[in-house]
Every structure is written in C-alpha cells, then in structure tokens.
Amino acid sequence: MILVFPAIAILISMGIYAVLTQKNMIRIIIGISIVESAIILLLGAISYIPDGVAPILDQPYDTVVDPLPQALGLTAVVINASTTAIMLALVIKLYNRYQTLDIHEIRKLRG
Amino acid sequence: MKKINFDKVFSFILVSLLGLFIMKVLYSVAGEEAARFTADHYISYGVDETGAINIITAILFDYRAFDTLGEATVIFTAASVVALLLPRHEASMLKTEFTPVVQQSIAFILPFLWIISIFLISYGHLSPGGGFSGGVIISAMSILIIFTYGYRYMTRRFNVKKLSLIEDIGALAFLTIGLAGIIAGGTFLANSQVGIYPGPPGELLSGGLMPLSNFAVAAKVGTGLSVIFLSLARED
Amino acid sequence: MIEIILMLLILLLVVSAAIALFSKKLLNSIITLSIFSALLVIILIIFQAPDLALAEAVIAAGITTSFFIITINKTEGVN
C-alpha cells in the first residue's frame, strides 16, 4: 500500500520531464495530463484507510474511507478535461497559424 | 546537438530532485494520522442530515454545493473559450466512411447510452455516479454521433446554439435550486440544512433537492463538453 | 493477495506512463495514455473510491482520448 507514493512521485517527475524536453506540443499536453492523473491517484491514495469501506452508507459501517478527497478529486477530474480541451484548441490554432507542431520552431517565429 | 543534450541532462537532474522532494513530502504526509474532523462529521451525520446514501454526492451537491457551482462555471468558460478560439474554416475532418454495420450498431447503442446516463444522474445519491459522470456520458454520445455520422448530421440536430441554450438552462436551474435554499430560510444552496424534505434515505426521491441539482449539473457538463467537442471537430 | 495485484498495477501504470510520454509514434502515445487512465481506474477501485473511478473512467479514458484524436486529425501531426 505504501508503494503508491513513490509511484506518484515518479509519475509527476516523468510528466514534468516530458513537458521540459519534448518538442511536439501534443506530447507536452500528454505530459501535463499525466501529472494531473498522478494527482488524482494521490487523492485516491490519501483517502484510503486500510480495510475501510467505500463511502456509500446504505447501513452504518465502522471504518469508512475518507470521502472528502474523493469528492474534491471528482471536481479535479472534470477540470482536467476542460484544461486539456483548451490546450488542444490552442494547439490547433497554432498549427493553423504556423503549420508546425514543433514548439522550438514556433518560438523562433516571432512574426 | 550539444546544446540539446545539456538541456536534457540539466532538466533530468532538476526533475529527479523534484521527485525526491515530493517523495519525502508524501512520506511525511502518509505517516501521521491526519485528524479527519470534517470527514468524520460527514460520515456519521451525512446520511440522516442530507438523506443521501452516497456521501460523495452529499458532499458535492449539498454540503459543498457552492464548489460544484464554481466547477460548473469552469466547464462553461472552457466551452466558450474553445468555441471562441477555433476557426470555422478550412480545417477538414478526415471523412471516416464506416460500413453500414457500424452505423446500425451505433444507432442501436445510442438509446442504451441515454438510459445509462439518466440512471447515473437520477441514482447519483444512492449509488456511485451523480451529475458529473452522467453528464459526461451524454457528451460521449454526441462524440459518438460525430465520429460515425459526421459533423453535419450532428449540427442539423444539435448545433452549438441549441447546446449552449441547454447549458444555460442547466445553470439557471442550479441557481434557482440555490435560491430555493434562501427562500426556505437558510443560506444559498442549503437544501438539507433548511429541512427541505430529505425523504427516507435510500428511496429514489430522498436527498431533498439533490436529484434536481444532479440533473442541472449533468445538463451543464454534458452540453458543455459536447460544445467543446463540436468546436474542436468543427468544419464548414 | 490484493497487495500483489496493486503492486503489479502500479508498476504497469508507471510503465504505460513512460511509454505514453516517450514512444516514437504520436498515435501510440495517445493510445497508451488511455490505457494509463484505464489502469488508474482499476487502482482507484482498489482504493475504495468508486465515484472517482467512474468519473475518471468516463472522462480521462473516454472523451479526453477523443479530444486528442480530433486534434491529431486536424493537425495531421502523425509524424
């Protein structure tokens, strides 16, 4: 169970490494969405109590999983989709303008 | 080529330092038992206060409904930004000509998708689901229609104007639910503290105004994301 | 038993994230991204978070992948 936290740290650093070094814009967006999914995994991992029960209380249980991070994580998942959609819309607009997906090319073209 | 290697090595070192730092923070967080006052309150009093069995929907649509209102506006702004940004003109969608088999099977599947989303929305306070997942399935239906029958078929039935109209209706419904909290004597969006009939927990009509706000948020999320997809896949 | 499955799934998660980020063809990395989200859904179910898993499944594995595919379609950036 404790193995989750190193995995989250690895995912976040891998995503940010991809954002720093990738040239293709769509890969940068994939890196960002992997960092966001790692945060969702973190919220799920923090809310878990060993042998807790899912927070659906059709009858009173004794140990229940912490529902608060899951509720806020649900909002975070939907916002991830919206931010990814806006980033992709910007990629399409940049492609129509500069005919390339390479971020270094676009940085050079100041025009 | 030398310059790129230097960048890669430098960012690799930077990122691994960040990873070590995050791991240290996470271990310190995971270690001690965080005091869970609010969570304990939600768990012990959640069911009889709000009448909803699914504590997460009770949190999202009753205790913290204001966050959900803010979150629904995030989708609204995302939809309008994407609709504004993307040009109508020359981007042409690769026409994927599916065989009639696919089109017939998709035509067969769509009503069942509709049943799934209505089930998830209306049973949101009883089983996992709720406004968000049900609404997203509605937008997944419009994506399915665009992929199989093409963009024009979709816009003949639901163009961006109609979809954003439904989205505004969802927003207004959510605000009126909030005002109902004020009218009933409590604060904005306070549907169970004010004693609006929570109903016996476990019944379909329990949870005060929660099913209604579920439907309102589902309308906003569903049409918002379909507007995003319509403008992403836009072609003249 | 569940510990072993969870450890295996987390390992797969990190491997699919690596493939999604650093694979040669762009389409491969997008398909691997949806596999990554599917693995994340299973892990969230093991962590007793059904609402989060359902939303993550429908959104991240579902429509985000179609957003990516539409963008690739529009920009023909399949290099």
Side-chain angles (χ1 to χ4, degrees), chain B residues 144-225:
Chain B
L144 210 57
I145 292 172
I146 290 179
F147 269 140
T148 48
Y149 298 106
Y151 179 77
R152 237 162 255 96
Y153 180 91
M154 179 67 181
T155 40
R156 263 205 303 276
R157 280 154 188 72
F158 279 102
N159 53 22
V160 178
K161 261 184 283 305
K162 275 192 199 140
L163 283 174
S164 42
L165 176 68
I166 299 171
E167 195 173 4
D168 304 338
I169 292 172
L172 288 180
F174 201 77
L175 291 180
T176 42
I177 289 167
L179 293 181
I182 293 182
I183 291 163
T187 59
F188 187 63
L189 277 177
N191 77 11
S192 78
Q193 282 83 7
V194 185
I196 295 176
Y197 168 65
E203 299 302 321
L204 181 57
L205 286 181
S206 67
L209 293 178
M210 225 176 293
L212 301 184
S213 46
N214 258 329
F215 273 98
V217 167
K220 271 185 77 66
V221 167
T223 44
L225 289 171

Side-chain angles (χ1 to χ4, degrees), chain C residues 50-69:
Chain C
D51 258 84
L52 205 56
L54 187 66
E56 169 80 15
V58 180
I59 293 171
I63 56 175
T64 308
T65 318
S66 58
F67 287 162
F68 275 112
I69 288 171

Side-chain angles (χ1 to χ4, degrees), chain B residues 54 56-57 86 91-94 96 120 127-130 132-133 136-137 139-140 143 147 225 228-229 231-235, chain C residues 22 48-60 62-76 78:
Chain B
N54 186 354
I56 292 181
T57 317
L86 285 172
S92 73
M93 165 93 170
L94 291 181
T96 52
L120 280 179
S127 66
F132 293 116
S133 341
V136 171
I137 291 184
S139 75
I143 291 171
F147 269 140
L225 289 171
I228 286 180
F229 190 77
S231 33
L232 272 175
R234 201 197 311 243
E235 62 193 42
Chain C
F22 305 116
Q48 299 286 331
D51 258 84
L52 205 56
L54 187 66
E56 169 80 15
V58 180
I59 293 171
I63 56 175
T64 308
T65 318
S66 58
F67 287 162
F68 275 112
I69 288 171
I70 282 286
T71 326
I72 286 225
N73 226 316
K74 276 278 189 70
T75 58
E76 280 80 28
V78 201

Side-chain angles (χ1 to χ4, degrees), chain A residues 2-13, chain B residues 19 23 26-27, chain C residues 10 14:
Chain A
I2 218 62
L3 186 68
V4 176
F5 296 113
I8 293 170
I10 291 169
L11 282 177
I12 292 175
S13 34
Chain B
M23 216 179 288
L26 287 183
Y27 270 118
Chain C
I10 291 171
V14 176

Side-chain angles (χ1 to χ4, degrees), chain B residues 20-53:
Chain B
L20 288 177
F21 175 67
I22 289 175
M23 216 179 288
K24 197 183 97 46
V25 166
L26 287 183
Y27 270 118
S28 65
V29 163
E32 31 87 14
E33 263 314 301
R36 299 171 194 262
F37 299 121
T38 48
D40 294 342
H41 172 74
Y42 289 145
I43 291 168
S44 38
Y45 302 105
V47 176
D48 37 26
E49 255 183 13
T50 58
I53 287 186

